[in-house]
Amino acid sequence: MSAKSLKKSYLLGGRAVEAALRLADGRVTGSLTTAGDEPAVVDGSARRLGAHRLALELDGKRVRATVLRDGGRTWVQIDGRTYEVDVHERGAGGGAHLGEADFAVSPMTGGLTKVSVTPGDSVDKSGELFVVEAMKMEFVVRAPRDLVVASVAYAAGDQVEQGDVVVAFEEEA
Amino acid sequence: MSAGPVSVSFRKVLVANRGEIALRVMRTCRVMGVATVAVYSEIDADQRHVLEADEAVCIGPAEARASYLNIEAIIEAAKATEAEAIHPGYGFLSENAAFAKACEDAGVVFVGPSADVLRDSSDKLIVKRRAAEAGCPVIPGPLDAVSEESAKLRAAANETGYPLMLKASAGGGGKGMRRVEREEDLESAAESARREAGGAFGNTELYLERMIEGARHVEVQVVCDNYGSTRFFGCRDCSMQRRNQKVIEEAPAPGVAVGDIQEAAGKLVEALGYRGAGTIEFLVEPDGSFWFLELNRRLQVEHPVTEECFGVDLVALQLQVADGEGFAAGERSVFSQGHAVEARVYAEDPAGGFLPSPGRVLYVAEPEGPGIRVDSALAAGMDVSPNYDPMLAKVIAHGETRDEAIARLDAALAETVIFGVRTNIAFLRTLLADPDFRAARLRNDAIDSRTDELVQLPEPGAEVVLAAAAAELLGVGARRRAPTAGGAARLPTPWETLAGFRLGEGA
């Protein structure tokens, strides 16, 4: 799987945290910077355990997290505690809000037979994004609008569950 | 009662409640082969108790007064669906004598005590007097209502001794209750208690009791048949309360000698001619002395801990007794085995002063495993309405020992996930970890005396933001779009979006 990166500001319990992270082959590197603190170097791992579950390793400690991304808010549950992590809106131009229409999800659980786009691609409305197959039926997911591909989370041959984000788009211009 | 498969003559039972208790009652109905009727308010049409019932009838608007407390509409629903019995659950109309009477008049069996017993026992002071007469120890204090004359009030208070409790005869839910530390505060406390009781119950009568400090809350579970026989199901400890609201309950009550308390409880229900499931609450002091506190004339929220220890189905027993079955002469109670602990999961925010947290539930994961039981009506997409009680679920753990049950409950809560509304789950785990609780040093003021300390949680670690960011990078955890209320959100099926569909074409 190709490397992906993310640069975003989050709010957790009233404190802003800047995340600059890169994910490649399950390894997460980069930094997390809490407002007013020195950046904390991240060198850990992140793997998918299920449609809403992650296995993380950070500073030698392993945790399992359950997550739900609901617009600008991510609900995170780790070891019985639930946290609300919000995308930190920084006004016009600086926003990093991932809206409902900013990704394409798999409509069913099955195997990805084809991924038709790569990050940076411009796709016209109704252009083919990826193809899922289950029970000998194929389903083509198409672009809901004119868009630019920001990231692709899976490759052909991967298994996906219904609702998994397969392709994320750049924000609408 | 005969051995073999449990059964009743009812073919259909209406459940006059909502949420987890409605589902709990329906589960037993299914076991017994009885059809179920749900009733619901206009905003509850997509709740699980409605969807999982065999039939459902809308009984009015959201406000409980117009729906779940609407006697006429519920009786109408029972008639329309030809339900032969009504199970009231807990809360709402479960202890309402007028409702039981309306059922009797309509020829529908009310699953609970008779209307007469409910009416006679609706006054706490009268029940206390009956308990004292029957030889059940009651909290010291005059057995007459306090006078409105201040000289007489003072005299009665001095005789009782300070600190003392003023209680409303018609009281419930802590309303009309005042703790009085000294004589100077007596009259103003009585005045405000009267005002509150008058507003809540239309009855301003008050009585006095000595304040029993730092006692435990211990309660006896009984089921009485119609013919004077009582089956006893031991004691529960429910000392872990926050502002008179139970939070953690367990059975058996650690270190409590069951015999004497059960006997005292038996004297009271016998004197009242009680029928059905009931709970007799006591305060137990460190020296073992115990005092009758209150009679609960319904199935309790915390009944599962008793069921898990005794291996009984209390709802089945309720239905059988309501159906007129008697306990066979000489029939012995089954034996309690192991230990069970229950935690009540509320939609409330402990860090924000325990304010209720209504909203839409976006995601639910309930625990499972050996000894774990979850009584819940949770579903992704359901709305938690500010109109009703904020309890979302009860997580119950059973184990061979108390320690094992607590460990199982703690692990189960750690894997209980509810997104969309805030919950008290982390607070519950703090309580389970408390050294006093672990050592069974139980007091009913243990939570209220140190709430501020108990709601503290450590600062979130870096893994929390990492989890949010990694979820995005990995494409994990996206909310299903187009959520439909009452069930899992759904996406359009391929058949609904045939535009992009190909059959049998290679990729």
Side-chain angles (χ1 to χ4, degrees):
Chain A
M1 200 194 292
S2 59
K4 281 185 290 182
S5 59
L6 169 149
K7 199 164 168 25
K8 201 171 252 193
S9 179
Y10 293 98
L11 268 181
L12 171 62
R15 304 184 79 182
V17 181
E18 296 283 341
L21 298 168
R22 182 173 184 279
L23 174 75
D25 299 325
R27 186 161 171 232
V28 195
T29 50
S31 65
L32 290 170
T33 312
T34 302
D37 286 356
E38 290 294 305
V41 172
V42 173
D43 187 358
S45 71
R47 288 171 192 281
R48 182 181 188 282
L49 277 178
H52 290 271
R53 303 251 296 149
L54 293 168
L56 300 173
E57 190 175 332
L58 187 64
D59 302 328
K61 197 178 94 185
R62 297 184 76 154
V63 296
R64 285 160 298 145
T66 306
V67 292
L68 179 90
R69 291 182 290 126
D70 179 34
R73 166 164 295 181
T74 301
W75 295 81
V76 176
Q77 193 266 16
I78 295 172
D79 191 27
R81 261 182 89 180
T82 298
Y83 308 87
E84 294 153 41
V85 184
D86 293 320
V87 171
H88 192 192
E89 309 280 2
R90 280 164 302 179
H97 182 86
L98 197 66
E100 283 275 285
D102 288 330
F103 48 85
V105 299
S106 173
M108 57 190 182
T109 299
L112 267 186
T113 53
K114 183 180 174 189
V115 176
S116 320
V117 293
T118 53
D121 284 0
S122 290
V123 186
D124 291 338
K125 187 177 174 186
S126 298
E128 188 179 278
L129 297 175
F130 59 91
V131 182
V132 201
E133 183 190 298
M135 298 165 79
K136 302 208 168 175
M137 294 189 301
E138 281 195 334
F139 185 67
V140 179
V141 174
R142 298 177 181 280
R145 56 175 166 84
D146 294 349
L147 56 85
V148 177
V149 173
S151 63
V152 178
Y154 296 93
D158 285 350
Q159 284 291 310
V160 289
E161 291 194 38
Q162 185 186 46
D164 281 352
V165 172
V166 179
V167 177
F169 320 141
E170 303 276 16
E171 292 209 270
E172 235 167 320
Chain B
M1 240 167 253
S2 60
V6 283
S7 67
V8 283
S9 71
F10 309 130
R11 280 158 301 161
K12 197 187 277 186
V13 171
L14 182 146
V15 183
N17 217 299
R18 68 187 299 283
E20 66 87 18
I21 192 60
L23 287 164
R24 160 72 193 89
V25 172
M26 290 180 201
R27 182 175 301 122
T28 292
C29 289
R30 279 197 293 275
V31 169
M32 299 179 110
V34 178
T36 54
V37 181
V39 292
Y40 63 98
S41 71
E42 284 162 10
I43 57 162
D44 273 357
D46 293 322
Q47 296 282 322
R48 268 178 60 196
H49 81 278
V50 180
L51 302 175
E52 295 190 21
D54 296 314
E55 290 174 68
V57 181
C58 182
I59 48 166
E63 306 89 275
R65 218 165 351 108
S67 48
Y68 297 103
L69 293 171
N70 184 342
I71 293 176
E72 207 176 307
I74 293 169
I75 298 288
E76 237 4 85
K79 284 182 180 168
T81 55
E82 297 179 338
E84 297 144 288
I86 296 182
H87 194 300
Y90 52 68
F92 293 131
L93 294 169
S94 58
E95 298 182 78
N96 187 302
F99 182 56
K101 181 73 170 53
C103 290
E104 286 170 16
D105 292 347
V108 179
V109 174
F110 175 78
V111 180
S114 68
D116 287 345
V117 166
L118 281 177
R119 191 190 54 237
D120 294 348
S121 58
S122 62
D123 185 298
K124 284 185 167 182
L125 183 55
I126 291 176
V127 174
K128 183 176 178 180
R129 225 176 274 150
R130 299 286 293 274
E133 286 162 11
C136 174
V138 297
I139 299 173
L143 289 174
D144 295 308
V146 297
S147 170
E148 305 218 8
E149 273 178 54
S150 68
K152 288 186 182 170
L153 171 63
R154 275 168 202 282
N158 283 329
E159 198 182 316
T160 307
Y162 293 91
L164 55 81
M165 285 296 278
L166 275 166
K167 290 185 177 176
S169 298
K175 287 211 172 67
M177 248 165 67
R178 293 287 183 282
R179 181 193 163 102
V180 185
E181 301 284 345
R182 43 198 189 139
E183 191 169 359
E184 298 92 283
D185 304 331
L186 180 65
E187 275 183 82
S188 64
E191 205 174 296
S192 81
R194 269 189 222 285
R195 209 166 34 238
E196 194 173 287
F201 317 112
N203 178 348
T204 60
E205 191 178 275
L206 303 178
Y207 62 101
L208 284 176
E209 280 182 349
R210 199 175 83 202
M211 181 74 211
I212 310 280
E213 305 267 14
R216 290 168 59 179
H217 175 115
V218 173
E219 56 187 35
V220 176
Q221 175 71 56
V222 300
V223 183
C224 306
D225 71 8
N226 238 337
Y227 316 100
S229 289
T230 299
R231 289 182 73 179
F232 294 94
F233 294 98
C235 291
R236 294 184 286 259
D237 186 294
C238 312
S239 301
M240 299 295 274
Q241 309 183 357
R242 197 186 74 80
R243 301 203 171 172
N244 294 315
Q245 178 81 265
K246 293 166 188 168
V247 186
I248 289 171
E249 302 107 332
E250 60 184 299
V256 169
V258 176
D260 291 349
I261 288 194
Q262 276 196 169
E263 197 187 323
K267 286 176 182 166
L268 174 62
V269 291
E270 195 179 318
L272 292 171
Y274 194 84
R275 176 188 76 201
T279 295
I280 303 88
E281 299 183 334
F282 293 90
L283 289 178
V284 175
E285 295 197 80
D287 67 1
S289 54
F290 58 89
W291 315 99
F292 168 69
L293 185 64
E294 199 173 306
L295 170 66
N296 286 312
R297 303 157 296 164
R298 57 168 192 271
L299 188 68
Q300 301 270 105
V301 174
E302 60 272 26
H303 75 277
V305 292
T306 300
E307 291 187 326
E308 293 307 308
C309 288
F310 282 87
V312 293
D313 181 337
L314 291 170
V315 174
L317 284 178
Q318 283 188 297
L319 291 172
Q320 287 175 300
V321 165
D323 196 27
E325 274 195 60
F327 301 137
E331 187 172 20
R332 300 293 306 270
S333 285
V334 282
F335 292 101
S336 177
Q337 208 171 32
H339 202 94
V341 187
E342 170 181 283
R344 298 189 190 187
V345 177
Y346 288 102
E348 65 184 16
D349 182 11
F354 290 92
L355 282 181
S357 171
R360 178 161 291 184
V361 175
L362 302 175
Y363 180 88
V364 179
E366 291 178 349
E368 47 193 36
I372 298 301
R373 164 175 170 180
V374 182
D375 280 19
S376 136
L378 280 167
M382 80 172 249
D383 287 318
V384 178
S385 164
N387 281 289
Y388 311 116
D389 188 270
M391 197 179 78
L392 297 174
K394 304 180 305 206
V395 181
I396 304 110
H398 186 252
E400 276 186 50
T401 62
R402 185 173 187 266
D403 286 343
E404 185 176 57
I406 293 171
R408 284 178 168 174
L409 180 58
D410 184 58
L413 288 169
E415 63 180 60
T416 304
V417 186
I418 300 167
F419 291 152
V421 296
R422 291 181 178 169
T423 76
N424 65 335
I425 291 173
F427 175 68
L428 292 170
R429 296 189 66 216
T430 303
L431 297 180
L432 293 181
D434 185 72
D436 285 337
F437 177 75
R438 289 276 172 160
R441 286 189 294 267
L442 301 160
R443 292 168 62 103
N444 61 7
D445 57 1
I447 297 180
D448 288 334
S449 61
R450 21 192 298 258
T451 306
D452 290 348
E453 176 194 334
L454 293 168
V455 298
Q456 296 297 325
L457 290 169
E459 283 288 311
E463 69 275 12
V464 179
V465 169
L466 182 67
E472 196 172 324
L473 287 167
L474 286 166
V476 168
R479 181 179 170 193
R480 309 290 205 255
R481 274 187 275 178
T484 55
R490 59 184 285 279
L491 290 157
T493 65
W495 306 107
E496 290 169 326
T497 46
L498 279 171
F501 192 69
R502 296 177 301 183
L503 256 186
E505 197 182 311

